[in-house]
Amino acid sequence: MRAAVLERPGKPLRIEDLAIDEPRAGEVAVRMTASGVCHSDLHVRDGEWERPGPLVLGHEGAGVVEEVGAGVAGLSVGEQVALSWYYPCLECRNCQLGRQWACSDSASLRHRLPDGSTRLRRADGGEVLSYLTIGTFAERTIVPAAAAVPIPDTVPAEVAALIGCCVSTGVGAVLKTAEVPAGASVAVFGLGGVGLSVVMGAAIAGAGRIVAVDRMPDKLDLARDLGATDCVLAGDADATIAAVRSAARHGGPEFAFEAIGLPATVEQAIAVLPPTGTAVLVGLTPFGARASFEVFPFVDGSRRILGSNYGQAVAAVDFPRYAGLFMDGRLPIDRLVDRRIALDEIEEAFERMRHGEGVRSVIAF
């Protein structure tokens, strides 16, 4: 099968023909149908997050079950699945407490299957790892059964793929991490796939004002279509902060979501808060990045900062929930897809992302 392989950080991905083994006990073979190109992949590609190689990148994908290993229940050949990039062990304390997004013993971060092996090999027999154990920039993949979540066939493959990462991350940040109440005011810094998912989540929550912030006018237009009540074209930091506060009214937004992963916008999301406001940090920065804020007004105003990883997703529960919201017309995930590409065009998609262009490129297999 063909796959996009990162040999080492900072080098272009290379399209290779890899051998793939059959699934073993507890594993599932998936024929990929769609994979989103996410900024987390770019962090790894550009060396901002150090990862071992060679590595098949990609972690936002959907496909069709081709084969199931021994002991797998609840999955059938021919069934569409969305893949979770952080599959839980189901045994650690966090998993037992229902915090699967914070599993302390997931093999995902080792980029290997639970038994420590990989099912991918080059012609010379050398092993190739699979990013977050699902490696979606490939025609096929072998994943733990817990990473494959059934999604109705009526959901388009590209929509199912985006549910696997950006949608769950953004919508979940609103509905699960922050628990934004109806009528609240919300600001969203950064309108990529995650930020626009935050906008959609805020609309579902019934937020009273949703202020979208970005430096690209076309993204602001899309945010308005998806539920934003106000749009701010980002520029000078002080002017942006003032504009967001004015649009949100009452001294600033009750909730400010940072969905880019830049220290400058993290600081702005904190700076716009009125007393008792909450900043929700969703975007992931390069390793080592730091942000700062003035402590006295933060404490004096009883402000809060929340970190939101994967939108606190419990994939087996939340993926079907978001698919249902899409089918009901309440979560227009398909609007996030602005380009469909071939596997060979992945480096072009990365370059667009570096320039902040577009929302979501999706590889159509």
Side-chain angles (χ1 to χ4, degrees):
M1 60 125 190
R2 298 171 73 242
V5 180
L6 179 70
E7 187 67 32
R8 61 181 184 273
K11 296 294 183 181
L13 271 64
R14 184 169 59 197
I15 307 303
E16 299 187 25
D17 288 315
L18 300 179
I20 182 168
D21 294 337
E22 294 181 352
R24 299 178 187 174
E27 300 170 0
V28 179
V30 177
R31 174 178 57 82
M32 297 303 299
T33 51
S35 176
V37 182
C38 179
H39 206 281
S40 294
D41 299 306
L42 183 61
H43 280 307
V44 178
R45 155 65 176 85
D46 287 350
E48 294 174 339
W49 296 353
E50 191 171 333
R51 296 288 186 262
L55 180 72
V56 174
L57 275 186
H59 64 284
E60 183 178 77
V64 176
V65 175
E66 283 193 323
E67 187 178 355
V68 297
V72 173
L75 290 169
S76 304
V77 172
E79 191 170 26
Q80 176 170 246
V81 291
L83 300 182
S84 169
W85 56 258
Y86 199 68
Y87 71 90
C89 73
L90 301 179
E91 296 179 358
C92 71
R93 177 173 173 78
N94 279 332
C95 282
Q96 291 297 307
L97 290 172
R99 304 171 188 153
Q100 294 181 11
W101 66 92
C103 172
S104 60
D105 196 32
S106 172
S108 287
L109 299 183
R110 297 189 288 274
H111 316 291
R112 295 176 179 272
L113 290 156
D115 65 2
S117 65
T118 177
R119 301 286 170 269
L120 307 180
R121 302 184 315 282
R122 285 174 164 157
D124 62 4
E127 68 174 20
V128 178
L129 302 181
S130 191
Y131 186 43
L132 296 171
T133 316
I134 62 175
T136 61
F137 293 172
E139 293 174 333
R140 298 181 71 226
T141 187
I142 304 294
V143 304
V149 179
I151 298 291
D153 290 340
T154 50
V155 175
E158 58 196 26
V159 169
L162 268 54
I163 287 173
C165 184
C166 72
V167 170
S168 292
T169 299
V171 175
V174 176
L175 302 183
K176 301 188 71 177
T177 304
E179 297 181 314
V180 171
S185 56
V186 168
V188 185
F189 290 81
L191 301 175
V194 172
L196 287 169
S197 294
V198 172
V199 170
M200 293 190 293
I204 290 172
R209 303 204 73 77
I210 304 172
V211 183
V213 187
D214 202 280
R215 60 186 179 88
M216 305 296 283
D218 58 333
K219 292 185 179 181
L220 294 173
D221 291 340
L222 179 54
R224 194 179 293 277
D225 288 346
L226 295 177
T229 59
D230 300 84
C231 294
V232 172
L233 185 63
D236 172 78
D238 289 341
T240 300
I241 290 168
V244 171
R245 285 175 173 164
S246 175
R249 304 178 184 177
H250 307 297
E254 295 165 82
F255 296 88
F257 292 82
E258 200 281 344
I260 308 172
L262 295 175
T265 44
V266 168
E267 292 173 358
Q268 290 176 35
I270 296 170
V272 299
L273 297 176
T276 74
T278 300
V280 186
L281 307 187
V282 185
L284 291 169
T285 67
F287 290 169
R290 293 178 176 272
S292 63
F293 58 91
E294 187 179 355
V295 177
F296 181 86
F298 187 87
V299 177
D300 188 57
S302 297
R303 295 166 172 87
R304 299 189 302 162
I305 298 175
L306 297 176
S308 182
N309 180 38
Y310 210 175
Q312 297 190 349
V314 177
V317 175
D318 292 317
F319 285 12
R321 176 190 183 195
Y322 300 143
L325 287 170
F326 167 77
M327 290 188 290
D328 289 343
R330 299 180 60 198
L331 190 59
I333 300 169
D334 54 320
R335 296 292 306 279
L336 302 180
V337 180
D338 68 325
R339 183 168 294 190
R340 295 162 182 84
I341 65 172
L343 186 62
D344 309 76
E345 298 174 279
I346 186 66
E347 284 292 331
E348 296 171 30
F350 282 149
E351 188 60 22
R352 292 181 71 226
M353 191 176 291
R354 291 187 187 98
H355 293 286
E357 299 173 2
V359 178
R360 236 352 170 245
S361 295
V362 174
I363 300 167
F365 291 94

